[in-house]
Amino acid sequence: MPRIHRLLVPLLAGSLLAGLSPVHAQDHHHEGRHEVCENVRVKNTPKDRHQIAGTAIGAVAGGLLGHQVGGGKGKTLATIGGAVAGGYAGKKVQEHHQDEHAGTHIERRCHWVDHR
């Protein structure tokens, strides 16, 4: 079998099997080394990976709630404190939601291993 066919046949077979199995390992041999490839299920990266929307909404809500407390300088401090606490809470809520609802995809990862 020509060299190119020896490389393409396992690669194509691995590609077909990747659709049937979430994880599939494959080896290629070359001059004292071999390449190990596998299909790995990876969590998708969220569009708002810094949770900016959750932080902003939480800060506004917390600031509004804090503004309802106290009077004078106390009202200002309560507003600022509420905005900070609300921003943190909003970020964490969005982060938790993204972790639970993130989809996954299959990524092919390869590395070479020496036979020494």
Side-chain angles (χ1 to χ4, degrees):
M1 182 182 297
R3 184 174 184 198
I4 191 74
H5 285 102
R6 283 185 289 170
L7 294 174
L8 284 178
V9 170
L11 182 63
L12 292 173
S15 297
L16 292 173
L17 289 173
L20 301 175
S21 171
V23 176
H24 174 75
Q26 180 179 11
D27 289 349
H28 292 149
H29 299 276
H30 182 68
E31 299 175 12
R33 301 171 60 189
H34 71 275
E35 183 180 26
V36 177
C37 296
E38 60 184 348
N39 295 324
V40 181
R41 186 170 300 277
V42 179
K43 196 180 263 191
N44 294 334
T45 303
K47 291 178 184 174
D48 184 9
R49 63 183 192 175
H50 298 293
Q51 296 85 28
I52 293 170
T55 302
I57 292 168
V60 169
L64 290 172
L65 288 173
H67 189 71
Q68 304 301 315
V69 178
K73 288 185 182 181
K75 183 179 277 269
T76 302
L77 290 175
T79 301
I80 293 169
V84 170
Y88 179 77
K91 176 180 175 43
K92 289 300 178 184
V93 167
Q94 184 179 355
E95 187 178 295
H96 177 73
H97 178 78
Q98 287 173 339
D99 283 346
E100 284 196 357
H101 294 89
T104 61
H105 65 278
I106 301 295
E107 239 177 56
R108 185 145 185 91
R109 296 190 178 166
C110 300
H111 63 278
W112 286 93
V113 178
D114 291 326
H115 290 289
R116 299 173 202 190

